[in-house]
Amino acid sequence: MDLTEEQVLAMAPDESSRKAGKELAKPAKWVSTGFSEAALWGECQGSGSKPYQTQVDTGAMAFRCSCPSRKFPCKHGVGLLLYYAREKASFIQQEQPAWVTDWISKRTEKAEKKAQQATDAKPVDEAAQNKRQEARHRKVSDGLDELLRWIKDLVRNGLIGVPDKGADMCENMARRMVDAQASGLAAILREMAEISYYSDGWQTIFMDQLLRLYLAAKAYLHQDRLEPALQQDIRTLIGYSQSQEELKTQNGITDTWLVLGKQSTEDDRLITERYWLYGLTTRRPALVLQFTIRHQPQVQLMPAPGSCIRAELVYYPSAAPMRALIKTQQAAPADHQFHGYDGWAGVLTAQTQVSSQLPLYNDQVYTIAALTPVQRDGQWWLRDEQQQEMQLRPDFRGLWKLLALSGGEPLPMAVIGRETHYEPIGVWYQQAYKVL
């Protein structure tokens, strides 16, 4: 592993774990440490007589600790990795102790058993499966008919009354979409419920989301007229899932991928982590999603932002593929060479291409050379060398770190967004990639 302190801290589940982990990243806190090709481990002296046994599966970046914490990684896991990142020479490669070997063996056996179960799975009852699919299609179609009536009533009555009933109105329809098994549209409606209806420009945000709902509903009800890849995009937007096991049987794209950044959201204890990757040879971006339940063990962690992995990625079927799953992976040496667009003109051309294939596209990731943060009219913008500007998202939290690294000078950046608003997630600074 070649981890930086910044990358380790990005893995911590919260600020308290980061703070506690920093305190534990000292030689005096560890009774013993070691590493092998498969694992990193250490015994941390706590308040009790017996040290906590902390271990990391370095292949999958999974954690285990004998402490009672329900966080993954716990403060001991964060502290061990920080200690390793700071003082690699203090760790000696050696034979794994029994408690590490047992854990690694159980993980391997579990993975093999899961693979065997997939191989030995009973043949699919196609008749029963078709019957279930037809029943769901009817439920979704009935729900979308009601959604379209709701949208038309809103347009007929005008938007003037929306601020008074916006949140409740959207939440009620979101529940109806959940009943109709259209959870993807329910998520859009709940985003609409959170709009600040007394801020300037709310009408544009509201109408943009309303249009997405309308187009998705209409497209689903007439999906037989669409290309197969676009049909899959619409079904995904509605809330249909795709089998990862089936995707893993397909050939993927093998490359060295730089992990550009991570975004996390939480909804009713379900944590969604979005990892943005960039293929250094193929020059292709990718989005990998990881879902975990708050306070539940994480089966696998993606490498920290700023790391590189040698991996085979399989893209989900789409008219404009972006989301992917990792079929196989292994650690790779850091490679922070910049590749990307010269300015915003290249980004707009790429977005035009994507929107022509997938009108309801979501955020995309772009790497752009020489962007400078500038302030104008009370707003922050990103200006390229051709003096073209795009606005920073108002809720961007890394502004001061970006300004500190930039110092008013242009830097190559990785940004996420679409149309007119973007959020930087990292910059290339002094021949290294820095996560914001």
Side-chain angles (χ1 to χ4, degrees), residues 119-150:
T119 303
D120 299 338
K122 295 180 180 179
V124 176
D125 186 338
E126 294 186 3
Q129 185 182 62
N130 290 336
K131 187 175 181 180
R132 290 193 298 270
Q133 290 176 348
E134 289 174 4
R136 181 174 183 183
H137 174 68
R138 288 194 297 271
K139 286 190 71 173
V140 172
S141 298
D142 290 344
L144 295 186
D145 286 337
E146 187 173 338
L147 176 65
L148 288 171
R149 288 194 297 272
W150 179 80

Side-chain angles (χ1 to χ4, degrees), residues 286-297:
L287 170 62
V288 176
L289 300 184
Q290 181 170 284
F291 302 96
T292 56
I293 303 297
R294 173 65 67 187
H295 301 316
Q296 294 296 317

Side-chain angles (χ1 to χ4, degrees), residues 24 29 34 63 66 164 192-193 201 218 263 268 300 341 372:
L24 292 173
K29 298 289 186 179
F63 297 79
S66 60
D164 294 329
M192 295 170 66
K218 280 290 189 180
Q263 295 174 306
D268 195 22
Q300 178 176 350
Y341 296 102
T372 306

Side-chain angles (χ1 to χ4, degrees), residues 15 23 64 99 197 310 369:
E15 187 58 38
E23 291 297 320
R64 187 186 184 191
W99 50 276
Y197 288 100
R310 184 70 181 174

Side-chain angles (χ1 to χ4, degrees), residues 1 38-40 55-64 103-104 107:
M1 291 189 302
L40 174 73
Q55 47 202 312
V56 183
D57 180 341
T58 54
M61 287 309 293
F63 297 79
R64 187 186 184 191
W103 179 59
I104 295 294
R107 286 180 54 80

Side-chain angles (χ1 to χ4, degrees), residues 26 118 210 223 229 233 250-251 306 321 330 352 376 388 424 436:
K26 302 171 184 177
L210 198 67
Q223 59 182 300
D233 285 310
Q250 302 177 13
N251 293 327
Q330 62 186 44
T352 300
R376 179 168 55 80
Q388 292 182 316
L436 295 176

Side-chain angles (χ1 to χ4, degrees), residues 24-238:
L24 292 173
K26 302 171 184 177
K29 298 289 186 179
W30 296 90
V31 177
S32 68
T33 58
F35 75 94
S36 66
E37 292 184 358
L40 174 73
W41 65 87
E43 293 180 288
C44 184
Q45 186 61 58
S47 56
S49 59
K50 188 176 181 180
Y52 294 124
Q53 295 176 332
T54 307
Q55 47 202 312
V56 183
D57 180 341
T58 54
M61 287 309 293
F63 297 79
R64 187 186 184 191
C65 186
S66 60
C67 75
S69 174
R70 298 178 68 185
K71 297 178 182 179
F72 293 90
C74 66
K75 64 181 181 181
H76 303 101
V78 175
L80 179 63
L81 278 183
L82 272 179
Y83 180 24
Y84 178 81
R86 291 174 180 175
E87 302 184 42
K88 294 183 180 65
S90 299
F91 288 73
I92 300 173
Q93 186 169 2
Q94 55 190 286
E95 185 177 345
Q96 295 171 173
W99 50 276
V100 176
T101 301
D102 289 346
W103 179 59
I104 295 294
S105 298
K106 288 177 181 177
R107 286 180 54 80
T108 303
E109 290 172 6
K110 186 176 180 180
E112 292 174 350
K113 185 177 180 181
K114 186 176 181 181
Q116 188 63 42
Q117 287 175 342
T119 303
D120 299 338
K122 295 180 180 179
V124 176
D125 186 338
E126 294 186 3
Q129 185 182 62
N130 290 336
K131 187 175 181 180
R132 290 193 298 270
Q133 290 176 348
E134 289 174 4
R136 181 174 183 183
H137 174 68
R138 288 194 297 271
K139 286 190 71 173
V140 172
S141 298
D142 290 344
L144 295 186
D145 286 337
E146 187 173 338
L147 176 65
L148 288 171
R149 288 194 297 272
W150 179 80
I151 292 173
K152 291 174 182 178
D153 287 342
L154 272 176
V155 174
R156 290 192 190 99
N157 294 328
L159 302 184
I160 192 169
V162 168
D164 294 329
K165 55 185 179 181
D168 291 339
M169 173 185 66
C170 294
E171 181 58 35
N172 291 337
M173 183 50 65
R175 294 194 188 101
R176 176 66 185 93
M177 290 300 100
V178 171
D179 292 340
Q181 294 184 284
S183 58
L185 300 188
I188 295 177
L189 284 155
R190 286 182 170 135
E191 289 178 8
M192 295 170 66
E194 295 176 359
I195 294 173
S196 176
Y197 288 100
Y198 293 95
S199 61
D200 291 338
W202 70 265
Q203 298 93 336
T204 300
I205 301 172
F206 182 85
M207 287 302 297
D208 181 65
Q209 296 288 64
L210 198 67
L211 179 61
R212 288 175 68 82
L213 288 172
Y214 182 81
L215 288 178
K218 280 290 189 180
Y220 181 84
L221 295 175
H222 300 89
Q223 59 182 300
D224 56 317
R225 305 179 188 178
L226 305 177
E227 295 292 330
L230 187 54
Q231 287 184 29
Q232 188 60 63
D233 285 310
I234 297 302
R235 289 171 64 84
T236 300
L237 183 60
I238 294 293

